[in-house]
Each structure stands twice: as C-alpha cells, then as structure tokens.
Amino acid sequence: MSDMETTAGGSSPVHDVAILGSGIAGSMLAAVLARNGVKVLLLDASSHPRFAIGESTIPYTLVCLRTIAERYDVPEIKTLATFTNATKVLGPRFGVKKHFGFLLHHEGQPQDPREVNQFGTPGLLHEASHLYRQDTDAYMYHVALKYGAAGRQNFRVADVDFDDAGVTLSTAEGEQYRARYVVDASGHRSPLAEKFNLREDPCRFSHHSRSIWNHMTRVRPTDELFDRAPEDTPPSPWYQGTVHHLFERGWFWVIGFDNHPVSRNPLCSVGLTLDERTYPKSADMTPEEEFYHHAARFPDIARQFEGARPVRSWTSTDRLQYSSRQCAGDRWFLLSHAAGFIDPLYSRGLSNTAEAINSLAWRLLDAVKDGDFSRERFDYVDRMQQGLFDYNDSLVNASFISFSDYDLWTAVYRIWSWGANAGTYRLSEGLFKYFKDGRDQHFKDLEKAPYPGLYWPDHEGFKGLYDSLIEECLKYEAGKVTAREAADTVYAQLESANFVPKHFGFAERDLRFMIPNAKVMAKTARWLATEADPVVKRMMQGNAREAVKAKLKGRRIF
C-alpha cells in the first residue's frame, strides 16, 4: 500500500503525521518532518497557488526561519529569511523592508510631520522583506513534497476520528486517510476546533478589530505624498518599509512589492483594520466603498489611494479575534491561526508561526520515535503559543488605546520596538552557540523561561516594564489618568531602566526616527560598557561581534 492510498477507519495508520492546511505553516512543518524521516500527509481543501496576506517580516521572524533551517537541516527555509535569497530563488516578486513606519493621522487634517515614527530593521544583521505569499506558500509546499511528504490538494476534511492507534480523516464522500497524529494548520475554519468545541465564546482577547484588504496596482508611494524639510524626512524612504497609517482606533497598511528596482511585481498589499465597536460594519456600503470612505477621512491617506486599482475581490471580515481554550490534546495540535488570531499591527503572524513550529517539531520527531503522542508531551508548546496570543493581544489593545494621543503612542512604540529587538538578540545567541558546536540543547535552553510568549520571556525587569505599560494604557482608557500622565509614568521607567539601551532611541522621548548613525552607535556602545544591564551588554555586544565578522566575510548573518 502506498502512502497516498486511503484506508478503512480503525486500520493501522499509513502516515505518522497528517497536517491539515498546506499554507506556509503547514508546509513548513511538513518539510521539517519529512526531511527528518517522518511519513507526512499534507492535506488541503484548496490548491496552490493562491492569494494570502501576512506579507511583512520582522527580524525575529528571520532568525526563527534561520534557526528552523539549521536545526532541522532544511536549507530551503533560509530562502525566505532574506530579500536577496527570496528574489534569487523565487524571482523578482518581493518587496524590500527597511523599516517599520508609523504616521498618525487626525480626521480632516494633513498629517503632522511631528507625529511620525520610523524604526529601521538593521541591514547589517537582517534583510527583511515583503513576502509575496502566493509564491512563498507554493514554494514551501513543493519543498515538503520534495522531501517526501505526501500531498493531497482539494481534499476537504469533514470529520476527524480518534482511536487508540491513531486518527482517521474523512471527507463527506467517505474517502479516508489514517495517521498516528494530526496537526491542524488550516486556519480559522479548523476542523479540530469545531470537533472539540475549542473556540472560546466570548473570545478571551481584549482587542477588537475587523478588517478590509486587497492587492492593488498604481498605489502612490508614500513619500510622494509629502514635501517636507530635511529634519522631517526619515532616513529611509517610507515606501521602502511597512507603512502604518494610524488613526483613533484603527490603521491602514501599505506593503509594497514594487518598492525595489529589481522587483517586477506591480502589486501592493493594502488593508484597513478598525475597532468594530467604534466603526460598525456598514450594511449600505460594499467593502471597497467602505475602504475609500475611511480613507477619505484623512486627506493624505486618500491621496495615496487615488487612482489605485484592485486586482481581486475585496475581503471584508467581522471581528478578527478568536481564541481557543487549548492548543494540544492526545494525538492532535492546533498550530498558529487554527488556534487564534489577533491583529496584524506588528507583523506577528509569521513570527509566531515560526516560533511554534520550532518548538513543536522536535517534540513530534521524538513522539514518532517512541510512540508517545500524549497531550503532556506538547504542553509547553500549548502554553507558549497561548502566551504569544495573549501578549500580542495586550500589546495591540494598548496600541489602539494609545492612537488617540501621539505621546502615549510613542511610549507603546518604544517598549514594543525594544522588546522585539531584545527577543531577537536572545534567539540569535542560541543560534550563534549552535553554529559553534552543533548542540541542539542551546535551543531547548531558550524554552526555559518564566513568561513564554513575551518578546523577552526571561527578564524580570522587562516583564515589569511591559506590565506597567499595559496598566497605564488601561487606566487612560478608563479615564483614571490623562494620556500625559500615563506617558510620563512609562517614560520615567524607560529612562531609568538599565536594560533599555540609551541614545539609540528606545528611551529618548522626542526621537522620531530610530535608524542610528555611527555617532549614536558609539554613544550606545559606551553606555553598554559602563551602565548597561549585564544581560543586555552580553546580547548586544555578542550580536555586534557576529555582525562585524559577517561583514568582514562579505555577507550578512541572516
């Protein structure tokens, strides 16, 4: 009997692991498992290539991808970790991402150049990109097949039955497959979430948003919207990064695939997310009409989309947020968006997915060897993934609250940006150690953290700072403090904390553009040598040394 043959329910499993959903999450996990000798079945209700969003990468995502590639010996995953590699291997279809850009808008007013922020992704360490998901997802699917995964597209699972020997996956027509374990990476319409009634009702998350999105051509580059003085012009062009147009309780995204000279992709990903309590969905407008209705409220946003043309039907959602009471059970796991979803404000989707895969894969490899597929074996991955959802929820919720006041927003922005960087440095340390001796224990040691899911999960000072930020934003929302009072409290902590780098911009209240020059880097280096928390000193100096070594060899680290 071949791997692709169906079996009668209750017979011996043909496959070790069945994965529902062949998007980037399911296909990447399938590639890792198949590369390491696991008999994998990859099922999907539709087929490739197909439209998908979630295009923006962050440095943490890139280090996660490189870690998975090295740890599990799947070098193809490194293709997605840099703009150069993705362009070289998959073609000139990707956008470059040199920064996160944020511009705060007020209804009926031109955008104020004093109310902007830009955080640069360090080009020496990382080369972030805007992934054209139609191509990357199909690429990972075929990588999984190359390593031996059995693929079946246009197979809609109608029922999942468990017994002592394994799992039976059935269509409505009665076609069946058998496996020893199942990972559901199918997304919101998860068959396992439905079978076990896993969705929390109401959803436990604090944040509320709905969304409208599309791909468009002829989107005007953000930089063409403004004619500003040099001191109000960011170091990196707005359109060469992920642009966030913020306004009270909502934001637009602009993610260009056409923002680099080598790209031949004329498309730009655009979208709008809104707190549906403040902006209920209109019954009288189409999604496109509603998108332009909200764009028209802000003169500069409206000008960006003048003359732009959609290339597909618009997608409009109800509330995006959903949660599950558990992610793991005996012989099953809910991966990534099958388990929950927040809001794409900080481009966490791919990052969270990669982090979950990294922790899930080695446990699955061990389970296949010894036959123990109990829930307890995967308890850490469940807690960590739930932590990723919960911390992202509290951060995005605080951000939406802060959009009404630029000063408070910048406090949120700074704690987000430093936390994301600290987490990246921490993960990079484990990878650098692995490069030196090849010991997998370095990655397992990273899981020994008291706050799984937090950007910097093992630093008490940062945890306290993060909790204080969330508390102050909630107090402001409840009318217990003013925005200024909340921001003053957070900035006082940022400025006094020896675990928050100085001079770089993480603690400097009025610094809009965090893309430091050599002079700033020299000042930060002196601070590291004389005042910094020892952990911060070790992480930042270690990453800097590796960056210098890589530069001398004419390459990037990631």
Side-chain angles (χ1 to χ4, degrees), residues 244-529:
H244 306 69
H245 290 298
L246 313 177
F247 58 93
E248 188 164 1
R249 294 284 178 175
W251 64 285
F252 287 84
W253 76 74
V254 179
I255 300 175
F257 304 117
D258 59 342
N259 66 356
H260 192 278
V262 304
S263 177
R264 297 296 178 266
N265 189 339
L267 301 181
C268 178
S269 175
V270 304
L272 164 65
T273 71
L274 303 151
D275 187 324
E276 84 282 358
R277 299 166 301 182
T278 306
Y279 308 100
K281 183 183 286 190
S282 172
D284 301 323
M285 288 188 280
T286 67
E288 182 174 30
E289 288 170 341
E290 191 174 15
F291 180 89
Y292 277 101
H293 165 76
H294 287 289
R297 296 167 52 210
F298 311 100
D300 293 315
I301 297 177
R303 290 192 297 119
Q304 179 146 43
F305 298 120
E306 284 178 359
R309 296 183 177 180
V311 299
R312 62 186 304 276
S313 298
W314 288 81
T315 298
S316 178
T317 74
D318 295 313
R319 187 187 178 192
L320 288 168
Q321 291 69 48
Y322 56 91
S323 58
S324 300
R325 53 186 170 83
Q326 68 187 76
C327 301
D330 294 338
R331 294 191 182 275
W332 60 266
F333 190 86
L334 292 187
L335 178 63
S336 190
H337 295 163
F341 192 83
I342 309 297
D343 184 282
L345 178 63
Y346 292 114
S347 303
R348 292 290 297 276
L350 288 173
S351 172
N352 291 357
T353 295
E355 189 164 4
I357 289 172
N358 187 39
S359 291
L360 177 63
W362 71 265
R363 290 174 168 86
L364 270 176
L365 292 174
D366 286 351
V368 168
K369 292 176 184 176
D370 64 26
D372 177 7
F373 294 99
S374 64
R375 174 182 176 178
E376 290 74 20
R377 170 163 243 155
F378 303 94
D379 179 65
Y380 169 80
V381 195
D382 191 338
R383 289 188 293 110
M384 185 269 291
Q385 187 167 253
Q386 296 283 22
L388 289 169
F389 292 138
D390 287 336
Y391 284 116
N392 192 28
D393 169 53
S394 60
L395 180 64
V396 174
N397 187 55
S399 301
F400 268 60
I401 292 169
S402 75
F403 290 167
S404 63
D405 183 87
Y406 176 73
D407 195 35
L408 182 57
W409 150 247
T410 62
V412 177
Y413 158 80
R414 280 172 167 76
I415 290 178
W416 157 73
S417 58
W418 169 236
N421 272 266
T424 304
Y425 289 141
R426 180 177 178 270
L427 184 60
S428 297
E429 277 194 320
L431 186 54
F432 296 149
K433 292 175 183 177
Y434 180 81
F435 284 154
K436 291 177 181 177
D437 60 21
R439 294 178 59 236
D440 190 70
Q441 187 61 43
H442 298 307
F443 300 124
K444 294 179 179 178
D445 287 343
L446 291 173
E447 295 183 356
K448 299 172 183 177
Y451 309 111
L454 184 64
Y455 273 126
W456 195 0
D458 59 356
H459 195 280
E460 293 293 338
F462 179 75
K463 176 62 163 58
L465 177 62
Y466 182 89
D467 289 346
S468 177
L469 170 72
I470 302 305
E471 180 183 2
E472 290 301 316
C473 287
L474 292 176
K475 286 164 61 177
Y476 166 59
E477 182 182 38
K480 296 179 180 179
V481 298
T482 65
R484 180 71 185 197
E485 289 169 338
D488 284 348
T489 297
V490 177
Y491 270 108
Q493 295 173 343
L494 277 168
E495 291 161 3
S496 64
N498 70 342
F499 54 86
V500 178
K502 303 305 185 287
H503 310 293
F504 197 99
F506 296 116
E508 286 69 39
R509 193 166 187 160
D510 297 324
L511 187 61
R512 291 171 293 171
F513 306 129
M514 283 200 285
I515 302 181
N517 53 32
K519 183 178 179 180
V520 169
M521 294 299 289
K523 289 182 178 180
T524 301
R526 286 194 295 272
W527 173 85
L528 282 172

Side-chain angles (χ1 to χ4, degrees), residues 132-239:
Y132 187 49
R133 289 287 301 278
Q134 175 177 310
D135 288 1
T136 58
D137 291 20
Y139 167 75
M140 282 311 309
Y141 176 70
H142 290 108
V143 169
L145 299 188
K146 184 188 81 169
Y147 281 119
R152 176 71 186 275
Q153 300 187 82
N154 301 308
F155 183 94
R156 185 174 296 278
V157 173
D159 195 18
V160 185
D161 289 322
F162 294 82
D163 55 58
D164 291 341
V167 188
T168 302
L169 305 154
S170 307
T171 65
E173 295 74 29
E175 190 176 2
Q176 295 181 335
Y177 286 105
R178 289 277 290 166
R180 300 165 71 193
Y181 192 92
V182 60
V183 175
D184 191 336
S186 61
H188 177 253
R189 295 181 178 86
S190 157
L192 288 185
E194 181 178 353
K195 179 178 180 64
F196 294 118
N197 192 27
L198 297 175
R199 293 287 188 251
E200 294 176 317
D201 187 13
C203 170
R204 73 175 185 267
F205 299 140
S206 300
H207 178 61
H208 283 251
S209 66
R210 63 184 179 90
S211 191
I212 303 168
W213 67 72
N214 210 329
H215 283 173
M216 305 185 83
T217 61
R218 302 185 183 181
V219 174
R220 188 175 182 182
T222 313
D223 308 271
E224 294 181 6
L225 304 176
F226 310 112
D227 182 15
R228 291 179 170 169
E231 63 270 20
D232 293 326
T233 302
S236 185
W238 288 116
Y239 197 62

